[in-house]
Amino acid sequence: MRRYPPIADHGMIGDLQTTALVSSDGVVDWFCAPRFDSPSLFAALLDHDRGGHFAIAVEGADVTTRQLYLADTAVLITRFLTPDGVGEVVDFMPVDRPETATDRHRLVRVMRVTRGRVRFSLTCRPRFDYARAEHRLTLREDTAHFSAPGTEAYLQTAGPVSLQPDGRDVRAFVDLEPEHVAAAVLTVCAAGGEPPPSPTADSVRAEFEETYAFWHRWIRRSRYRGRWLETVNRSAITLKLLTYAPTGAPVAAATAGLPEQLGGERNWDYRYTWVRDASLSLHALLGLGFTEEAHAFRQWLGERLREGRTVTGEPLQIMYRVDGDPRLAEETLGHLEGYRGSAPVRIGNGAADQLQLDIYGEAVYALTRTEDLAHHMGYDGWLGLSGVLDWLVENWDRPDEGIWETRGGRQDFTYSRLMCWSAFDRGIRVARELARPADLAGWTAARDAVFRQIMDRGWSERRKAFVQHYGSDVLDASLLLMPSVGFITPRDPRWLSTLDAMESELVSDSLVYRYDPAASPDGLRGSEGTFSLCSFLYVDALAHSGRLAQGRYAFDKMLTYANHVGLFAEEIGPTGEQLGNFPQAFTHLALITAALSLDEHLDDAPEKPRLRTAQN
C-alpha cells in the first residue's frame, strides 16, 4: 500500500448520500458517513498512518493494477494482474431509496478471479470521527463489529474469508480460483442500530445486479447523443454521485483538505452545497435532459430563500450543508499531517460568511431555467424571487469577496457585477413572460446602471480587456462567462479583445489559470495550478466566438488530463498532475457545457482545422 497515491489515482463509488474513494491499489482511503459532510471513517488520504483505510489487494511481488468502471455505471473494478493469475475487486454502494435520508450505508467489495489462482489480502482499519474517536472491536465468526461513540460499523464476509484480529482492527487472506467468489461488506450505522443480516453469495449478486441496473436506467434518461458520449455520460454520473438525493443539493466535491499546492495552505473543505456551483450543475444536467434533478435543486434553493436562514443576514449565503444548515464553522484538524504533508487540514468552511453578490445571478437563473416556467414558478416562488431582486436593487453596488473566495479584502469585482446584471435581466424577462407583479422600473434602472458601470469601470483601455475588479488591470477567467449570460455578444470587438488578452496571459497549452495571484494578492501564501473549470469555460467561449477548431483542439487536449476512469480534480499542476479536492463537480459540469456548445456549433458551422501555435 502506497503512503499517498496521486490524487487522481482513484475511482469514486456512492449511494447518492455519500461517496467513497478507491485507489487503483484497491484501498478505500476516503469515506464519510452517513453524509458527504459527516466525519470520516477512512481518511488515509489525509494521514496515511492515522486516517484509517480499508484495503483489498493481491499478494505478490510482481503485481500490475488496472482500474475501470463498468460502462455507464458507478460500479468500479480494480484488476490485479500477476504471474499466477488475474484477480478483481468489484466495488459498489447499493442505491436503495436514495431520497430517504438514512444513517445506514454499505460498501460492497467482491473478490473474484478470472484466471489462475490468486491470494487476496484484506485489511480494515477504521478511524472514526477524523481519527479522533477510539473504537472497540468485537469479532465473532464472519463479522467484525467496530463500535465508537455515536457510530458503529459491521464488516461481514461471504465465501471463504476468515477474519482475524489485528489489534483493534482486522485482516484476512483469501485464496481464490475462477469458480470461487468472496465478498466483504461494510455497513456503517448509528450506534445502537440493528445489526445487518449476514451477506450471502446470492444476496451480494442481487445487490450488484440492482445497482448495475439502477445506473443504466438513470443514464438512459440522458438525451445527449453527441461526439463525446462516453465522456459526457461519465461526467453526468459523477454529478449524480455528488448530489445528496434526500434534498437534491449537489456538493462541490467528495473530499476535504486536498491541496491546491503540495505542501501549501490552500486546503479547503468542499463537501458542501455552493449556490453558484449547484446552479451551474443544474444548467448542465438540464442540457442533458435530467429534469428531475433540476427540479429537486430548485426546490432546495427555493426553501433557502423562504427560510432566510443565513449567518450573514443576507437573503442567501454562498454555501450550505446539504440539508440547508447555514452553519459551517471552520476548524483545523491538527492531528492529521495532510496529504503528503500539506497542512493544515480544514473541515467546515470559513468562507461561508463572505459576501459574494454573483450568487444572486446564478440563483435567479437556476430558479427560472425550465421549459415550463409557469408550472414550476408558483406565486409563493415568485414572491421569494422578486424579494431577492428588490433587495439586490439596494445592494448590488457593494464591494465583495468575489467568486474565488479571496481572503485579501473586498473589491468591486467585475464578475459579481456581471451576475447582478444577469439577475435583473432574467427577472425582468420572467416578470413580463408570466405577467407577475414586479418593480420593473427599479429592476430596469438597476440593470442598466450595472451595465454602464461594467462598461465604464470594468473595461481597461490599456489592456483592451475586461478586468477582474475596478481600478486594476488584472485578468480573470470567470469573465469567460460574459457571452454565455447574454451581457455581450461573442463577436463584439471588446469581447474578442478580452479573449485574446486571456489567451496571451492566462492560457497555457489549453489550461487556464483563474487569475495571477502575484498581480492580485488573495491573502494566501503559495501558488496554484490551472483551474479545470476555467479551461472548459475557455472552450465554451471559443465555441461561442466562432473559433471552433481552436475550441475543439483545446477540449480534446483537456480530456487527456482526466484520470484513468475519466474523473477530474479541481486543478492541474505544473507537470500535469491533478490537485485539489476530487472529483470536483465544477469541472464536470463545465465539461458537459463545453461539449454541448461544441456539438451545437460544429453541427451548425463546421470549420476547417488550423495549425495553432504552442501557446494555444
Side-chain angles (χ1 to χ4, degrees):
M1 175 179 171
R2 291 172 292 175
R3 285 190 63 82
Y4 290 105
I7 291 171
D9 205 13
H10 293 82
M12 178 175 66
I13 58 175
D15 63 3
L16 309 187
Q17 295 187 20
T18 188
T19 59
L21 296 188
V22 186
S23 77
S24 64
D25 297 330
V27 180
V28 178
D29 53 16
W30 182 256
F31 175 54
C32 300
R35 302 188 324 199
F36 298 103
D37 55 357
S38 297
S40 65
L41 185 71
F42 304 123
L45 199 55
L46 296 179
D47 194 308
H48 173 84
D49 297 321
R50 299 182 184 90
H53 66 265
F54 182 9
I56 298 180
V58 166
E59 294 287 287
D62 187 14
V63 180
T64 301
T65 64
R66 298 286 187 271
Q67 199 171 56
L68 69 153
Y69 281 111
L70 291 181
D72 291 341
T73 76
V75 177
L76 187 69
I77 298 179
T78 306
R79 309 190 75 216
F80 300 87
L81 286 66
T82 80
D84 298 320
V86 177
E88 295 181 343
V89 176
V90 181
D91 286 312
F92 63 94
M93 294 182 68
V95 182
D96 182 23
R97 292 176 296 182
E99 290 79 16
T100 302
T102 178
D103 62 14
R104 187 171 293 254
H105 299 273
R106 291 159 58 79
L107 289 172
V108 181
R109 314 200 70 190
V110 179
M111 293 162 274
R112 65 188 186 187
V113 172
T114 60
R115 290 188 308 179
R117 181 181 177 86
V118 168
R119 163 165 277 206
F120 291 90
S121 65
L122 178 154
T123 305
C124 186
R125 296 180 176 174
R127 297 295 182 265
F128 294 84
D129 189 22
Y130 306 109
R132 295 183 294 192
E134 296 292 327
H135 71 266
R136 185 179 67 232
L137 170 67
T138 303
L139 182 60
R140 49 181 180 269
E141 297 182 356
D142 61 353
T143 299
H145 178 205
F146 305 96
S147 179
T151 308
E152 54 192 10
Y154 295 86
L155 178 63
Q156 301 170 296
T157 61
V161 184
S162 178
L163 297 174
Q164 302 297 322
D166 182 16
R168 54 179 173 160
D169 308 314
V170 295
R171 63 182 309 161
F173 293 95
V174 188
D175 293 304
L176 294 178
E177 296 179 350
E179 65 270 20
H180 300 139
V181 174
V185 181
L186 183 76
T187 303
V188 183
C189 57
E194 286 292 322
S198 296
T200 65
D202 288 341
S203 69
V204 170
R205 184 181 302 108
E207 285 188 308
F208 166 80
E209 291 173 353
E210 290 166 4
T211 304
Y212 181 87
F214 169 86
W215 287 107
H216 274 274
R217 285 194 305 271
W218 185 79
I219 201 65
R220 279 201 298 268
R221 290 167 43 204
S222 173
R223 63 189 180 203
Y224 181 77
R225 299 295 183 270
R227 295 166 174 81
W228 296 279
L229 182 61
E230 183 177 349
T231 298
V232 168
N233 282 358
R234 179 53 51 200
S235 288
I237 290 171
T238 301
L239 292 182
K240 181 69 170 175
L241 281 169
L242 293 173
T243 300
Y244 185 65
T247 64
V251 297
T255 58
L258 292 181
E260 297 175 17
Q261 179 188 29
L262 290 180
E265 68 169 337
R266 298 167 185 261
N267 317 316
W268 315 110
D269 189 347
Y270 277 11
R271 299 170 299 152
Y272 307 113
T273 300
W274 268 254
V275 170
R276 175 191 310 111
D277 302 35
S279 297
L280 294 174
S281 292
L282 175 145
H283 174 69
L285 289 172
L286 276 176
L288 301 179
F290 291 108
T291 56
E292 290 181 15
E293 287 74 13
H295 182 55
F297 172 68
R298 270 196 300 267
Q299 286 185 312
W300 180 91
L301 183 58
E303 289 171 4
R304 305 288 74 73
L305 284 173
R306 287 190 294 273
E307 290 179 359
R309 293 176 58 220
T310 64
V311 297
T312 61
E314 318 290 350
L316 284 174
Q317 66 183 48
I318 67 171
M319 70 181 92
Y320 300 82
R321 295 187 181 275
V322 291
D323 61 357
D325 189 336
R327 296 164 297 178
L328 290 82
E330 185 173 292
E331 61 178 304
T332 297
L333 302 180
H335 64 290
L336 300 180
E337 71 171 9
Y339 177 80
R340 297 190 181 181
S342 300
V345 174
R346 299 181 178 93
I347 57 173
N349 200 305
D353 62 358
Q354 288 190 355
L355 176 65
Q356 296 180 20
L357 291 168
D358 69 278
I359 65 171
Y360 295 99
E362 285 113 5
V364 170
Y365 188 77
L367 290 169
T368 60
R369 171 73 165 85
T370 176
E371 295 177 355
D372 188 3
L373 181 59
H375 174 72
H376 290 292
M377 180 62 69
Y379 181 64
D380 291 337
W382 175 253
L383 288 179
L385 180 65
S386 61
V388 165
L389 291 170
D390 290 340
W391 177 88
L392 199 59
V393 167
E394 304 297 329
N395 288 274
W396 67 266
D397 196 16
R398 295 166 60 187
D400 68 351
E401 275 87 4
I403 179 177
W404 306 128
E405 294 164 15
T406 59
R407 301 194 179 192
R410 294 182 176 181
Q411 300 283 354
D412 293 312
F413 284 102
T414 306
Y415 180 78
S416 298
R417 299 298 197 276
L418 169 71
M419 297 311 294
C420 287
W421 176 90
S422 177
F424 291 127
D425 184 64
R426 187 76 181 173
I428 292 165
R429 294 170 186 265
V430 172
R432 288 173 173 162
E433 179 181 343
L434 300 184
R436 294 290 188 261
D439 179 16
L440 287 177
W443 295 1
T444 301
R447 181 197 63 183
D448 295 347
V450 179
F451 186 90
R452 286 191 293 267
Q453 189 186 86
I454 292 175
M455 287 299 187
D456 291 343
R457 301 178 62 194
W459 171 261
S460 169
E461 190 62 32
R462 189 184 75 81
R463 297 300 306 271
K464 299 296 183 185
F466 292 102
V467 292
Q468 183 183 67
H469 59 81
Y470 301 164
S472 78
D473 284 333
V474 177
L475 301 179
D476 193 310
S478 65
L479 298 178
L480 288 164
L481 284 168
M482 293 183 90
S484 298
V485 301
F487 180 85
I488 195 168
T489 65
R491 305 298 177 95
D492 187 287
R494 284 197 178 198
W495 169 246
L496 294 176
S497 176
T498 299
L499 188 57
D500 289 340
M502 289 187 184
E503 287 181 348
S504 66
E505 183 171 306
L506 299 182
V507 180
S508 174
D509 191 35
S510 82
L511 301 174
V512 181
Y513 290 94
R514 295 189 293 181
Y515 56 91
D516 180 1
S520 179
D522 55 14
L524 297 165
R525 295 188 303 272
S527 61
E528 61 179 15
T530 57
F531 210 67
S532 295
L533 160 75
C534 298
S535 299
F536 286 117
L537 292 182
Y538 172 59
V539 171
D540 184 54
L542 289 172
H544 283 297
S545 300
R547 302 177 180 183
L548 292 178
Q550 184 182 354
R552 182 168 188 173
Y553 183 49
F555 185 77
D556 287 339
K557 283 202 290 186
M558 266 303 298
L559 297 186
T560 68
Y561 291 100
N563 81 344
H564 57 289
V565 290
L567 303 182
F568 284 91
E570 183 179 16
E571 299 182 4
I572 305 295
T575 58
E577 73 276 18
Q578 294 203 29
L579 295 171
N581 285 303
F582 175 90
Q584 195 204 32
F586 230 172
T587 301
H588 286 277
L589 69 88
L591 183 157
I592 292 170
T593 300
L596 291 171
S597 292
L598 278 175
D599 277 321
E600 177 185 356
H601 289 89
L602 287 168
D603 289 344
D604 291 343
E607 182 178 314
K608 295 181 180 180
R610 294 176 296 169
L611 182 64
R612 302 295 301 177
T613 64
Q615 286 76 20
N616 294 326

